[in-house]
Amino acid sequence: MNVHVAALAESHRFDQQTTAFAGDVIDDLSQVPKRLSPKYFYDATGSELFEQITRLEEYYPTRTELSILRDQSGAISAMVPRGAALVEFGAGATTKVRLLLNECRLGAYVPVDISGDFLKAQADALRKDFPALGVYPVTADFTTSFALPNAIGAMAKVGFFPGSTLGNFEPHEACAFLRSARDILGQGARMVIGVDLEKDERVLYKAYNDAAGVTARFNLNILNRINRELGGNFDTSAFTHRAIYNRDRHRIEMYLISRKAQTARVLGHSFSFRPAETIHTESSYKYSLERFSALARGSGWTVLESWTDEASMFSVHALAVSD
Ligand code: AVI
């Protein structure tokens, strides 16, 4: 972070997270082409909009992954050692982890997320429903290195990374994340991971350009967040949402497109837009089984088994740390 942002953060009495947000926004909007990091979608409003997305008819990933976790629960639990600690990287709705908790005889559950308040609420609900389970939340950015709780030291470790969140990482970031997860979980660890698959482009297009406009509101909310938290003055009605499929890079790309020539100010910085100029807000990579397996191999993991739904829309994999 540059000295200027640090001074601004100090004068605005920003906490650590808001300071990092300010630094990233100013850096990313100064790039050519402009961009913003998708990790900033998820304030309270963004998280609620994402929950709405997961219930949309066009957005197949969530319900398809749930159906795989349900249909293959026996085979998946066979990959999870009895008494293991399940470490979930990022903690969203508890629906998916509940399926594993019901099926596998776990010793402990360790949700890891940057949002401490959300984690606490989630942990309390699980403790009520699974009184015998040790629940040890860790407040941390799961893409960085963090320490596991001492209480699970002696237990086998299984990572859980559902939702194809891996797809929102650039390939080098996905590799770095898988390597870091391997280092955190340690020798002998396993991992259950959900990954979205390549498919008919029309299906992908509709999933990210839904008719009700929820994804558009989700995308635009990042500008609202900049206005709210950093005192920006973006006119959100002067931007439109667009998602396209980039076949060569196997990824959906989401953009905010300026409807006109305009200037927005954030923390004393001016960002000028030409008409139709874009901000790249998210990439969502889609993998084939082969390309995911190669990524896992190159990141210190071996694919033990892969499961898909009948239409091959989504995949769930059991991985083991390579020797
Ligand atoms: C969280 N992530 C896997 C979602 C995705 O599909 O890439 C985020 C999302 N963006 C638009 N719709 C959903």
Side-chain angles (χ1 to χ4, degrees):
M1 163 152 353
N2 65 41
V3 182
H4 176 64
V5 173
L8 276 172
E10 172 124 17
S11 71
H12 285 82
R13 297 175 182 271
F14 286 161
D15 61 18
Q16 225 184 336
Q17 277 183 43
T18 312
T19 305
F21 180 37
D24 286 347
V25 165
I26 289 166
D27 279 356
D28 288 348
L29 290 180
S30 306
Q31 304 296 315
V32 182
K34 293 181 175 66
R35 63 182 189 214
L36 287 168
S37 167
K39 72 178 176 196
Y40 295 118
F41 281 142
Y42 302 94
D43 64 350
T45 310
S47 300
E48 168 52 31
L49 286 166
F50 180 64
E51 284 305 308
Q52 288 182 31
I53 288 175
T54 65
R55 292 192 291 271
L56 291 170
E57 177 59 31
E58 296 101 320
Y59 193 76
Y60 59 86
T62 311
R63 64 169 178 277
T64 312
E65 183 178 44
L66 271 169
S67 76
I68 299 171
L69 291 173
R70 237 180 250 124
D71 294 350
Q72 304 296 343
S73 61
I76 295 170
S77 70
M79 297 289 160
V80 176
R82 194 183 249 233
L86 188 75
V87 179
E88 181 166 2
F89 294 91
T94 57
T95 329
K96 292 171 194 166
V97 77
R98 281 169 186 272
L99 283 173
L100 293 192
L101 293 175
N102 282 328
E103 196 66 27
C104 309
R105 300 210 175 179
L106 290 163
Y109 172 56
V110 182
V112 183
D113 201 273
I114 191 92
S115 161
D117 290 348
F118 185 73
L119 261 188
K120 205 182 152 306
Q122 192 209 41
D124 288 346
L126 283 172
R127 280 194 196 102
K128 239 190 7 262
D129 295 339
F130 298 89
L133 184 76
V135 182
Y136 307 104
V138 173
T139 306
D141 174 351
F142 66 80
T143 61
T144 63
S145 180
F146 59 88
L148 291 175
N150 291 333
I152 66 160
M155 299 178 192
K157 315 285 186 302
V158 179
F160 186 42
F161 196 43
S164 202
T165 304
L166 192 80
N168 296 132
F169 297 156
E170 289 302 316
H172 72 278
E173 294 169 336
C175 179
F177 166 76
L178 289 170
R179 281 181 186 280
S180 150
R182 184 197 56 177
D183 293 345
I184 291 165
L185 297 170
Q187 275 303 319
R190 295 200 164 172
M191 173 107 120
V192 176
I193 183 165
V195 180
D196 198 10
L197 294 173
E198 279 181 296
K199 60 185 59 65
D200 186 328
E201 289 175 25
R202 285 164 301 187
V203 175
L204 286 170
Y205 182 85
K206 283 192 176 158
Y208 292 85
N209 291 283
D210 64 285
V214 184
T215 310
R217 290 204 289 284
F218 173 72
N219 197 6
L220 284 159
N221 178 59
I222 202 166
L223 300 183
N224 283 322
R225 183 175 183 184
I226 294 172
N227 289 349
R228 263 194 312 266
E229 292 186 21
L230 307 179
N233 73 346
F234 275 101
D235 172 5
T236 53
S237 68
F239 287 85
T240 47
H241 158 81
R242 180 160 311 151
I244 56 147
Y245 187 63
N246 182 330
R247 198 178 306 155
D248 296 333
R249 302 185 74 169
H250 313 276
R251 69 184 199 187
I252 284 281
E253 295 169 357
M254 267 192 355
Y255 295 98
L256 290 167
I257 304 179
S258 179
R259 289 179 190 266
K260 58 180 190 189
Q262 56 180 320
T263 300
R265 284 183 71 75
V266 183
L267 293 169
H269 291 249
S270 290
F271 300 102
S272 297
F273 292 83
R274 289 173 275 106
E277 186 174 345
T278 57
I279 309 173
H280 183 184
T281 50
E282 185 183 62
S283 294
S284 191
Y285 282 82
K286 309 301 169 189
Y287 287 87
S288 63
L289 294 178
E290 295 71 28
R291 280 192 300 106
F292 175 70
S293 170
L295 169 68
R297 234 178 307 138
S299 315
W301 295 88
T302 306
V303 177
L304 298 177
E305 210 166 329
S306 301
W307 301 275
T308 67
D309 54 298
E310 259 176 30
S312 291
M313 302 281 270
F314 201 90
S315 61
V316 174
H317 309 261
L319 312 180
V321 167
S322 315
D323 295 326

